[in-house]
Amino acid sequence: MAAAAPRTGAEIRAAFLDFYEQRGHKPMASASLVPEDPTVLLTIAGMLPFKPVFLGQQQRPAPRATSSQKCIRTNDIENVGRTARHHTFFEMLGNFSFGDYFKEQAIQWAWELSTGVFGLSPKNLVVSVFREDDEAEAIWRDVVGVNPKRIIRMDEADNFWASGPTGPCGPCSEIYYDFKPELGDDGIDLEDDSRFIEFYNLVFMQYNRDAEGTLTPLANRNIDTGMGLERMAQILQEVPNNYETDLIYPLIETAAGLAGVDYRALDEKGKTSLKVIGDHSRAITQLICDGVTASNLGRGYILRRLLRRVVRHGRLLGIDKPFLTAMGEASITLMQTAYPQLVERREVILAELAREEARFLETLERGEKLLADVLAAKPKQISGEQAFELYDTYGFPLELTEEIAEEHGLTVDLEGFEAAMEAQRQRAKAAAVSIDLTLQGAIEQMAADLEATAFKGYEALEHPSCVLALVVNGEPAERATAGDSVQLVLDVTPFYGEGGGQIGDRGVLSGDGVIVAIDGVSRNRSVFVHSGRIERGSLAVGDLLNAQVDRACRRRAQANHTATHLLQAALKQVVDPGIGQAGSLVDFDRLRFDFHCPRAVTAAELEQIEALINGWISEAHSLEVQEMAIEKAKAAGAVAMFGEKYADVVRVVDVPGVSMELCGGTHVANTAEIGLFKIVSESGVAAGIRRIEAVAGPAVLAYLNERDAVVKQLGERFKAQPAEIVERVGQLADELKASQKALAAALEELALAKSAALVAQAVVVGEHQLLVARLDGVEGGGLQSAAQGLADQLGDGAAVVLGGLPDPADLGKVILVAAFGKAVIAKGQQAGKFIGGIAKACGGGGGGRPNLAQAGGRDGAALDGALEKARTELTAALG
């Protein structure tokens, strides 16, 4: 009896990987959504982690590999939830050949997997090939036995893959599922989304394209395939769209429960909102898990945008309370078997979701206030630009703008909104990043052709070396002379190349009449690039040099790096065992450590951390450094930086009983060499990310000398001993506060005195008393007191508007105040709304209560005109 075809998402994933593992493919774990490739913002394709292998820049992990790679794409974000199969987060199942098998084997296995393992009937399958790929068509027809009518030739736009304008490329062949085979084999149109879904793409990487567009066969041909897990789940689970598969639908049910609705009973608009929430919840949970935090730039912006779309669609469904953490919990539960790191990062994920949702709810409130200001101007229609600004800047849903506008008898310029939206789409497409396998500069090109640099810096600070490559002013060169800025690659080096947060070494290269001052060393893949300046003589490729590291700089870097390890251990012990590193900097004069933590570290905790580290230093722990298999290192308890890539064999730096980390940096032999450790500052650098800056070793003395000099200067200025300075400064602060309070009271009395003479300027408008006047040289509090006092004198019918420049010489600061009596408010006038509108004439805004409000502006030259406008509008309103 044949085994049942896989149906659940987990079964489909396991069956795919098992099928290819049985056929000699090495299973590869999914890479992070944050790629190593600097040319791509996020992992957007299953082949991205193998890009350096396809380029020949890295050794292949095996002749054949298979993976289930998590990916993020936001190019078509507006289609998420509206179509059957657009997603932001998705999983790409792939099998790869690196110069091993090629077209015929890839096609045969793809067909065997689809029809044999997944049980798809050949009657439901259609394949596409590139219009010029006779070979692929012949394999499908003659070897596999596919009906020729169900083999469709497609143009280059659909069936030819390229990494960029130049570089590796080749034809594609895709397998489509036909939901309506009863319509027959004639006139098949694969663009018909209601009938066909493409689920498996085979890329035959067989050519190299040069700048003239000429295709040359590659010496090593590669296979790169991708099968969409969500699409295959839709097919095998026989549901109408990807969202109703077991990969997403549990999240839709969670959101529906929070909203108190039934997904099946909703209209298309409501279903779309639930689909968006389900899709985006997976994406944001995985992004945060991989170390992305919400911000206004790069990956952080993508995360923030997805988070806010979830909240917006929740509000459209009637969810009126924070709910992102509930969706995060559900997402972790749904995906934790395939991605156990979600459980390890659970607290970090939920904390980030809660913080960002709270921020966005505040933003939504600002958007609602902005819409109120737009409506207060009584427009005939809300413009498309205004609606789009609310949507794009404040995250305010268009549907909500339309609903509020309708309540006021207005419409929204939807064509204008769509025009603004389309302009944004075009900007997004123009900025979209494709996978370019050819993006290289001079050093990158050289590094791709060179063997890895032999690093001897753990054992020695001086070593004979040969110049393998030379770049002068950004261009490859054979020779350089005194005065030239150079980058060079050596066959062997004692210089540490920047990595793992540690700065590269400094030092000198010397040879026959030549001296090169090296001010930094970086790494390009495994090639160390030495940057500096030729101080004397000339240098050529092939020259022999003596490479000598600056010993003092290295010692300082070592002290700071080991201190960073002690700092992480102390944070885990004092603050939270779950604290994880988010980045670090080990410089010659300081160290910086970023870590995930939802709150500030208290002063008492910082003091405890500092004492703990200095205690470990004084205990003189000898460090033990050894290389071992990564699984053995993790089993021993070695701490790895989350998201960092590690080889199968890793370097473990152990401070026995204190700290054990995977680290390729340089360290002291004994903690006593550090000398002292001093925390300089603790601060927040991003949502949920804290930073501690500190100094260690010789840098502590320089830091203390600087502070000592400041204390001496303060003592001399305040005529106080060091221990008395804090008390003396406190006394001065109290005296200043009292003086400021007295001055404010005096200015308020002065304002009241000045305003007393203004009562006579009030004019009668109907049953009301209107007073609009200018009063310079008075701060906001005084102006408010003056306006309130005048309104009290004029009675319930008073409408008082005062404006002025606190400093008549400064036209950049304007203050406007309105005070309205009860009868004026009953007439429909509110001080807050009125004065906010008047302030716009001075380039500002503001608001407040109906009876008393203050606004500000930045254009003092426009003040008189603003006051005249206030007089005219109030006269018309009250007359």
Side-chain angles (χ1 to χ4, degrees), residues 105-116:
Q105 190 66 77
I107 288 174
Q108 286 183 294
W109 278 338
W111 188 260
E112 182 184 350
L113 175 68
S114 300
T115 59

Side-chain angles (χ1 to χ4, degrees), residues 394-467:
Y394 296 92
F396 207 73
L398 174 63
E399 295 88 348
L400 194 53
T401 301
E402 289 182 285
E403 183 181 319
I404 296 173
E406 186 178 351
E407 292 173 359
H408 289 76
L410 299 174
T411 59
V412 178
D413 176 11
L414 296 181
E415 289 186 5
F417 178 88
E418 284 301 326
M421 178 70 79
E422 182 59 28
Q424 188 202 50
R425 286 195 192 105
Q426 294 306 320
R427 289 193 297 271
K429 286 182 180 179
V433 180
S434 61
I435 304 173
D436 186 354
L437 300 187
T438 64
L439 193 63
Q440 298 174 321
I443 281 293
E444 286 79 5
Q445 292 172 9
M446 288 182 173
D449 297 331
L450 294 170
E451 295 291 330
T453 306
F455 175 59
K456 301 296 183 181
Y458 294 137
E459 305 87 19
L461 296 182
E462 191 171 347
H463 203 281
S465 305
C466 177
V467 179

Side-chain angles (χ1 to χ4, degrees), residues 775-803:
L775 195 60
D776 290 331
V778 181
E779 290 290 345
L783 209 60
Q784 277 201 37
S785 297
Q788 186 64 66
L790 289 167
D792 291 342
Q793 290 183 60
L794 295 172
D796 288 347
V800 178
V801 175
L802 300 180

Side-chain angles (χ1 to χ4, degrees), residues 40-365:
V40 185
L41 203 60
L42 292 166
T43 299
I44 59 175
M47 61 77 64
L48 186 64
F50 301 113
K51 171 180 164 181
V53 179
F54 286 130
L55 271 176
Q57 297 167 348
Q58 281 185 9
Q59 291 292 320
R60 59 185 185 177
R64 306 171 180 182
T66 184
S67 69
S68 177
Q69 175 61 48
K70 53 186 180 181
C71 305
I72 289 274
R73 289 184 193 169
T74 56
N75 304 34
D76 298 307
I77 192 171
E78 296 302 330
N79 289 324
V80 171
R82 301 183 187 279
T83 68
R85 35 196 171 263
H86 272 99
H87 297 295
T88 53
F89 175 85
F90 60 96
E91 288 185 67
M92 191 60 74
L93 305 169
N95 57 285
F96 307 92
S97 167
F98 308 113
D100 188 17
Y101 64 85
F102 197 53
K103 202 172 291 186
E104 182 171 335
Q105 190 66 77
I107 288 174
Q108 286 183 294
W109 278 338
W111 188 260
E112 182 184 350
L113 175 68
S114 300
T115 59
V117 177
F118 293 137
L120 303 182
S121 170
K123 294 180 180 179
N124 290 92
L125 301 181
V126 177
V127 298
S128 68
V129 296
F130 178 50
R131 64 170 186 261
E132 299 172 13
D133 195 354
D134 297 333
E135 181 187 7
E137 181 179 28
I139 295 170
W140 283 115
R141 183 188 64 236
D142 302 333
V143 179
V144 176
V146 176
N147 180 348
K149 287 188 175 182
R150 298 183 78 81
I151 303 174
I152 310 300
R153 291 195 181 231
M154 307 272 289
D155 289 335
E156 187 169 356
D158 297 297
N159 277 62
F160 195 90
W161 178 87
S163 63
T166 61
C169 57
C172 305
S173 184
E174 299 168 323
I175 309 179
Y176 289 76
Y177 187 81
D178 182 358
F179 290 102
K180 303 172 184 177
E182 67 275 8
L183 295 179
D185 302 333
D186 296 324
I188 286 177
D189 178 10
L190 293 178
E191 297 295 324
D192 182 357
D193 286 343
S194 65
R195 179 178 175 183
F196 299 103
I197 177 176
E198 177 249 310
F199 65 87
Y200 205 168
N201 183 19
L202 315 179
V203 177
F204 311 127
M205 206 180 300
Q206 64 187 92
Y207 300 115
N208 183 69
R209 180 155 48 195
D210 63 21
E212 281 70 46
T214 303
L215 297 178
T216 306
L218 289 171
N220 293 314
R221 301 178 301 177
N222 304 305
I223 289 292
D224 158 27
T225 80
M227 174 185 283
L229 176 61
E230 290 78 10
R231 295 188 178 197
M232 183 52 75
Q234 180 199 341
I235 295 168
L236 295 179
Q237 293 173 24
E238 299 179 346
V239 292
N241 55 68
N242 294 2
Y243 299 95
E244 295 182 32
T245 67
D246 68 336
L247 294 166
I248 302 177
Y249 193 66
L251 300 178
I252 289 177
E253 288 186 310
T254 299
L258 292 168
V261 298
D262 179 1
Y263 172 79
R264 304 292 178 186
L266 287 175
D267 58 14
E268 284 306 310
K269 182 178 175 183
K271 286 182 177 178
T272 296
S273 287
L274 283 174
K275 289 174 184 175
V276 169
I277 293 172
D279 171 90
H280 289 9
S281 292
R282 297 201 308 166
I284 59 181
T285 302
Q286 291 280 8
L287 281 169
I288 297 170
C289 180
D290 281 358
V292 179
T293 54
S295 69
N296 290 326
L297 294 171
R299 303 179 187 102
Y301 173 73
I302 291 173
L303 172 60
R304 175 163 286 169
R305 186 181 181 198
L306 294 175
L307 277 161
R308 293 186 170 190
R309 281 174 60 86
V310 174
V311 176
R312 285 207 314 270
H313 282 277
R315 286 170 72 95
L316 289 176
L317 290 166
I319 302 176
D320 58 359
K321 59 184 179 181
F323 71 103
L324 279 189
T325 54
M327 295 309 304
E329 290 272 22
S331 299
I332 292 169
T333 300
L334 182 64
M335 298 185 288
Q336 64 186 6
T337 302
Y339 300 102
Q341 60 267 39
L342 289 167
V343 179
E344 298 170 16
R345 302 270 292 167
R346 178 180 175 277
E347 295 305 320
V348 172
I349 293 168
L350 298 182
E352 176 72 3
L353 290 173
R355 279 191 299 273
E356 192 61 21
E357 184 173 22
R359 282 196 182 93
F360 182 45
L361 291 176
E362 293 175 2
T363 299
L364 272 178
E365 289 180 11

Side-chain angles (χ1 to χ4, degrees), residues 566 569-570 573 612 616 619 621-624 636 653-660:
L566 300 182
Q573 186 168 322
L612 193 58
W616 289 331
E619 288 167 2
H621 294 271
S622 293
L623 274 68
E624 298 176 2
V653 177
D654 184 15
V655 183
V658 177
S659 162
M660 180 187 288

